[in-house]
Amino acid sequence: MYKGKGVFGMVKLSASSVEKINEICDRYVDEPTPLMMILSDIQNEYGYIPLEVQELVSKKTGISVAEIYGVVTFYSFFSLTPKGKYVIGCCLGTACYVKGAQQVIDKFSEILKIKPGETSSDGLFTLDALRCIGACGIAPAVSINGTVYPKMSVDKVPAIINEYKAKEAAA
Amino acid sequence: MTLVNIKIEGVPYQVEEGLTILEAAKACGYEIPSLCAFNHGECNQGSCRVCLVEATGARGLVASCVYPVNEGMEVRISTPKATEARRRSVELLLSNHNQNCQQCDKNGKCELLHVATLTGAREGAFAGVHSDTYLDELAPGLIRDTSKCILCGRCIARCSNAHGMGILGFENRGFRTFVSPAENRGFNDSPCIQCGQCVNVCPTGALMEHSEIDKVDAALKAGKHVVIQAAPAVRAALGEEFGYPVGTPVTGKMIAAMRRLGFERVYDVNFGADLTIMEEGTELLHRLTEGGVLPMITSCSPGWINYAEYNYGDLLDHLSSCKSPHQMQGAIIKSYWAEQKGYDPKDVFVVSVMPCVAKKFERQREQMNVNGIDDVDAVITTRELARMIKRSGIIFNRLPDEDWDGDIMGDYTGAAVIFGVTGGVMEAALRTVYFKLTGSEYGRVAFEEVRGHDAGIREASIDINGTVVNVAIASGMKSAKILLDEIREGKSKYHFIEIMGCPGGCINGGGQPYVRPVFLPNEDDNILDTYKEKRAKALYSEDERQVVRQSHNNPQIAELYEKFLGEPNSHKAHELLHTTYAAREGFND
């Protein structure tokens, strides 16, 4: 049985979020294909792009929600869930891979108890598997919020995690 | 038009510049096996790689559906290299395809199986990992089974072109790509209107109507009083399933077939359509003369109703409160008819044959019952009726022409027949409204100005004894949206608007036989451009053949009001024949 809820329109986002997202969409009104730029700005602003936001972008741009969702899930830069405070990007490009990157990311996974693409329950860490980040000379490479850790090994992983946990405890 | 010189298999031709190799070859008499390309580039992803050919000037083989011809090009279709490559493309598609062809309702109309046969694709040529698959069987109208999807993108294109909606899209990338509503939601949990246009273009069994043949079988087996009623548009297309040329009306044979399938009564929904006109026409007159909400909008199309509830919850007052014809007729069968027959309504089972899959949704709406008794118990599409006929061994083409059961609700008028085409409900209503306002029949009978057979908006101003009625007609939600936004902005000049969900109306409904040029070798090459017009003509010609062409002149309708309902829009009529609407959220949680 299909009973109407008597509700329509955007009801889940705060007025300020609606205003912000509308403003982001307005930045690119003159662009013939504005979607990537809009989504990129929203990803940077909010750290993720949930369905409610996609609905609003759809309403503003006339691009269907399914198409926006398709773009968000196509590019690994976009995320449907909030990212952690520290985003650990393990490069799994060819050079890093042959130098043992898989073991490194597995170690992060084991200690943080999250799979690549997931965020730890305390919201502190997100683990991402990256394709080549162009740092083959220092393979295997790991990048955490822009800081690159060269020539990584499994042994170095616990210390790095503890470094960030300590930073958090001190704050 | 600039012509270019090309050669196909060494033979010189002159063809139009800008054509793809596939189109040019077709013009020269070659049907290159192809799969994803559809309807003059409505879908042209070049994604399936089935139509590979050799062409000079290109590196390697090219997908002929996207590669344009150019001056001096030499195309080779049947070289061993191209033939083998096409076969391999199909084998790769099959390697990731659920091949339960015997159980698949698309069997016989499956374009993948067709190209597999043409190219000689071998079973199990590539064994490997299958991508994850998803099955959505919860929507009353449609089923999505990604295990059969070949990622051609036709459904995505059709949803945007017909409705401007784009419910479906590609999700993820590479081997993990699949087609679905956003968030891999079910159709029930997205603003899909369940019109079935995507089903009509899907080359495989990935998108199908939600069959209710099992329900009908169970009711017949249980010994219920099973009554079947068929919508106007069904007769204009059913013949296509049995090899008749597109646009051949097969009313008499359809009736004969339904009778042989074991139904107790075989009724025409046209009676319900006449009833709808009496109710809706009266409602319009009330609104015109007593200052009701205008414009009034028709409510026969459940796809359109879904769209309105999802997107225009603030305009629902504009919808006519009338149920659609088959729901009205179902309600009458369960009340008046059952009473006359001395049956308990609970033992009566009403089956509607519809050109539509959204009707399957409509019949399950909570508003579509009277005192706990559903108006209609099962809705089968034109295609499903054809399947029932075929499995029963009936040789359709050899059936005699028979007539509808004539008791109680056998009469119908020409006005009802044309419900099946865009503009038809409007025209039928105008014939009756004209009579009610002037006391005499409209001389020409037909209101040519509202006729058509395709999407888009038509409008007319009808002067009825000094009362000017401005009307507009739209089919397909892309067109409807324009009229609805005008109403929302307070700029609409119309009194009465007809909206149909599918482009062209019910003749092009999501439950109608598939129109696939490859399976219609005797039709013109441009059949995808002409089938709607041909089916519409079948209905208009039936209207012209009717002696009575205005709903208010249907004698059994008059009798029904006299003996049972009282008058149009009476209390009893409201209880049985009218309904309510409620705004709905598209992406519900």
Side-chain angles (χ1 to χ4, degrees):
Chain A
M1 292 298 163
Y2 303 90
K3 194 174 158 61
K5 284 189 181 173
V7 179
F8 47 90
M10 293 302 309
V11 291
K12 291 169 190 157
L13 298 175
S14 71
S16 62
S17 287
V18 171
E19 197 182 323
K20 181 80 203 170
I21 291 156
N22 282 338
E23 186 264 308
I24 289 173
C25 292
D26 287 340
R27 287 176 200 168
Y28 303 104
V29 277
D30 297 328
E31 293 287 338
T33 54
L35 187 60
M36 289 294 281
M37 288 165 266
I38 292 171
L39 293 179
S40 178
D41 285 6
I42 293 173
Q43 177 71 41
N44 286 332
E45 184 77 29
Y46 289 90
Y48 72 123
I49 312 173
L51 190 72
E52 290 78 5
V53 171
Q54 294 175 40
E55 282 183 72
L56 188 55
V57 173
S58 170
K59 210 164 255 184
K60 280 289 281 186
T61 59
I63 301 166
S64 80
V65 178
E67 188 175 340
I68 295 171
Y69 194 85
V71 170
V72 171
T73 54
F74 186 89
Y75 294 102
S76 57
F77 173 72
F78 300 127
S79 174
L80 290 165
T81 48
K83 295 231 174 182
K85 187 167 180 185
Y86 302 107
V87 180
I88 303 168
C90 295
C91 180
L92 292 184
T94 310
C96 290
Y97 188 83
V98 298
K99 289 276 211 170
Q102 187 65 49
Q103 286 78 6
V104 171
I105 194 169
D106 287 348
K107 192 72 187 172
F108 275 109
S109 210
E110 179 196 322
I111 297 175
L112 295 171
K113 299 188 178 63
I114 50 174
K115 288 188 209 126
E118 292 180 350
T119 299
S120 60
S121 54
D122 57 7
L124 219 48
F125 297 103
T126 293
L127 186 59
D128 274 346
L130 305 179
R131 300 301 146 198
C132 184
I133 60 169
C136 308
I138 53 167
V142 166
S143 149
I144 302 180
N145 286 13
T147 308
V148 176
Y149 293 79
K151 299 190 175 176
M152 277 294 292
S153 67
V154 172
D155 302 341
K156 292 180 186 169
V157 171
I160 290 174
I161 293 175
N162 287 336
E163 175 193 331
Y164 282 93
K165 281 190 172 166
K167 199 188 275 184
E168 207 49 33
Chain B
M1 187 172 76
T2 319
L3 295 174
V4 291
N5 295 290
I6 61 164
K7 279 184 182 173
I8 300 177
E9 309 289 25
V11 181
Y13 296 97
Q14 280 199 321
V15 297
E16 207 179 313
E17 192 181 24
L19 291 182
T20 63
I21 295 174
L22 186 73
E23 290 165 333
K26 178 96 183 192
C28 301
Y30 292 90
E31 181 92 59
I32 300 169
S34 67
L35 185 54
C36 65
F38 189 64
N39 193 15
H40 311 301
E42 177 176 358
C43 174
N44 236 5
Q45 301 265 348
S47 63
C48 76
R49 318 309 289 175
V50 169
C51 64
L52 296 172
V53 296
E54 288 189 55
T56 50
R59 277 193 308 146
L61 297 161
V62 295
S64 57
C65 69
V66 287
Y67 205 89
V69 291
N70 53 47
E71 180 61 36
M73 177 184 271
E74 292 186 31
V75 176
R76 295 278 177 184
I77 301 168
S78 64
T79 60
K81 187 177 166 190
T83 306
E84 195 179 316
R86 288 195 296 269
R87 188 187 70 200
R88 196 167 298 143
S89 291
V90 179
E91 286 171 346
L92 282 165
L93 288 169
L94 289 173
S95 75
N96 195 25
H97 187 82
N98 177 359
Q99 294 175 52
N100 66 340
C101 299
Q102 294 97 315
Q103 293 100 53
C104 182
D105 285 338
K106 207 70 154 228
N107 200 334
K109 294 288 168 64
C110 175
E111 291 175 67
L112 177 58
L113 193 53
H114 178 70
V115 292
T117 309
L118 284 183
T119 58
R122 296 153 302 181
E123 200 177 330
F126 296 96
V129 183
H130 286 239
S131 35
D132 289 344
T133 58
Y134 305 95
L135 178 63
D136 171 22
E137 295 186 308
L138 291 181
L142 335 165
I143 290 177
R144 177 174 60 100
D145 180 355
T146 66
S147 72
K148 293 176 184 168
C149 178
I150 57 160
L151 303 174
C152 65
R154 285 189 196 178
C155 52
I156 299 171
R158 177 53 62 93
C159 191
S160 311
N161 291 338
H163 301 309
M165 290 199 298
I167 292 299
L168 292 164
F170 291 112
E171 278 185 33
N172 290 327
R173 66 191 289 176
F175 195 64
R176 292 171 58 238
T177 308
F178 59 92
V179 172
S180 80
E183 278 195 327
N184 198 8
R185 283 163 173 260
F187 289 120
N188 274 351
D189 302 321
S190 67
C192 168
I193 63 170
Q194 304 195 19
C195 71
Q197 283 297 313
C198 54
V199 175
N200 278 7
V201 297
C202 179
T204 71
L207 288 162
M208 293 294 296
E209 71 269 0
H210 195 152
S211 176
E212 296 189 57
I213 293 177
D214 289 352
K215 286 199 184 79
V216 180
D217 288 343
L220 287 167
K221 197 174 170 190
K224 296 210 171 200
H225 301 289
V226 187
V227 176
I228 193 164
Q229 50 178 1
V234 177
R235 72 205 62 186
L238 180 68
E240 293 163 30
E241 290 276 349
F242 300 96
Y244 286 90
V246 174
T248 311
V250 290
T251 318
K253 288 183 171 37
M254 176 180 79
I255 298 165
M258 292 193 291
R259 201 164 273 141
R260 281 153 184 73
L261 289 172
F263 298 102
E264 185 170 326
R265 281 289 183 284
V266 179
Y267 286 131
D268 196 339
V269 171
N270 279 342
F271 180 85
D274 277 333
L275 192 54
T276 303
I277 287 304
M278 298 303 288
E279 293 295 324
E280 197 162 329
T282 307
E283 186 183 0
L284 177 63
L285 282 170
H286 278 260
R287 291 197 192 199
L288 283 171
T289 54
E290 288 162 27
V293 177
L294 291 172
M296 186 175 98
I297 312 177
T298 58
S299 57
C300 302
S301 165
W304 143 238
I305 297 298
N306 285 341
Y307 185 77
E309 292 188 330
Y310 281 133
N311 301 290
Y312 290 89
D314 50 331
L315 299 184
L316 297 179
D317 286 348
H318 288 268
L319 269 57
S320 161
S321 64
C322 289
K323 286 181 184 173
S324 66
H326 85 115
Q327 294 287 154
M328 281 198 181
Q329 188 159 315
I332 293 294
I333 290 171
K334 294 281 181 89
S335 56
Y336 180 63
W337 184 86
E339 198 178 295
Q340 300 272 309
K341 296 281 168 194
Y343 294 154
D344 181 347
K346 290 194 179 68
D347 297 330
V348 177
F349 190 94
V350 176
V351 181
S352 297
V353 188
M354 292 284 135
C356 182
V357 298
K359 292 277 177 199
K360 292 168 181 284
F361 179 97
E362 180 190 46
R363 77 158 188 84
Q364 296 178 51
R365 288 171 67 97
E366 64 167 359
Q367 298 97 327
M368 289 299 171
N369 71 69
V370 181
N371 302 327
I373 305 271
D374 287 339
D375 299 338
V376 173
D377 302 284
V379 168
I380 59 172
T381 59
T382 310
R383 296 188 292 259
E384 289 171 84
L385 176 63
R387 287 208 287 279
M388 287 186 75
I389 296 170
K390 284 172 186 167
R391 72 171 186 185
S392 70
I394 293 168
I395 301 176
F396 188 83
N397 312 43
R398 293 198 208 154
L399 286 169
D401 286 334
E402 294 184 3
D403 212 347
W404 304 98
D405 283 321
D407 60 326
I408 301 175
M409 45 183 77
D411 289 342
Y412 67 92
T413 71
V417 182
I418 57 174
F419 262 56
V421 56
T422 171
V425 178
M426 171 67 66
E427 180 169 347
L430 286 175
R431 291 182 195 174
T432 289
V433 169
Y434 187 93
F435 175 80
K436 297 251 176 173
L437 281 174
T438 64
S440 59
E441 304 295 353
Y442 182 61
R444 280 190 297 149
V445 183
F447 288 87
E448 302 282 354
E449 48 276 60
V450 300
R451 292 190 173 184
H453 52 78
D454 221 329
I457 296 171
R458 295 186 301 285
E459 56 174 18
S461 280
I462 317 278
D463 187 337
I464 308 177
N465 262 11
T467 308
V468 176
V469 183
N470 293 325
V471 302
I473 291 129
S475 63
M477 293 304 108
K478 209 181 212 172
S479 309
K481 187 177 193 304
I482 297 167
L483 297 176
L484 295 162
D485 286 340
E486 279 178 11
I487 300 176
R488 195 174 255 174
E489 290 160 20
K491 291 181 192 158
S492 185
K493 61 177 183 201
Y494 305 109
H495 300 101
F496 189 30
I497 296 175
E498 180 202 291
I499 296 179
M500 290 293 160
C502 291
C506 309
I507 45 158
N508 188 34
Q512 292 283 55
Y514 304 116
V515 181
R516 297 282 192 279
V518 291
F519 296 123
L520 298 167
N522 297 322
E523 297 288 348
D524 299 339
D525 281 351
N526 66 343
I527 186 64
L528 282 167
D529 301 326
T530 57
Y531 73 98
K532 283 180 269 191
E533 187 177 357
K534 287 181 172 179
R535 288 174 179 173
K537 270 189 185 151
L539 295 182
Y540 283 125
S541 69
E542 189 161 329
D543 168 33
E544 277 157 28
R545 281 199 303 275
Q546 295 299 314
V547 182
V548 182
R549 296 178 66 187
Q550 300 86 7
S551 300
H552 53 273
N553 292 330
N554 179 331
Q556 286 182 333
I557 288 283
E559 192 184 327
L560 177 69
Y561 278 108
E562 193 187 307
K563 288 190 178 163
F564 187 64
L565 291 171
E567 55 183 18
N569 293 11
S570 69
H571 180 73
K572 183 130 200 163
H574 263 282
E575 190 184 300
L576 291 169
L577 310 178
H578 290 253
T579 187
T580 56
Y581 313 100
R584 281 185 273 156
E585 208 176 345
F587 294 101
N588 52 29
D589 294 319

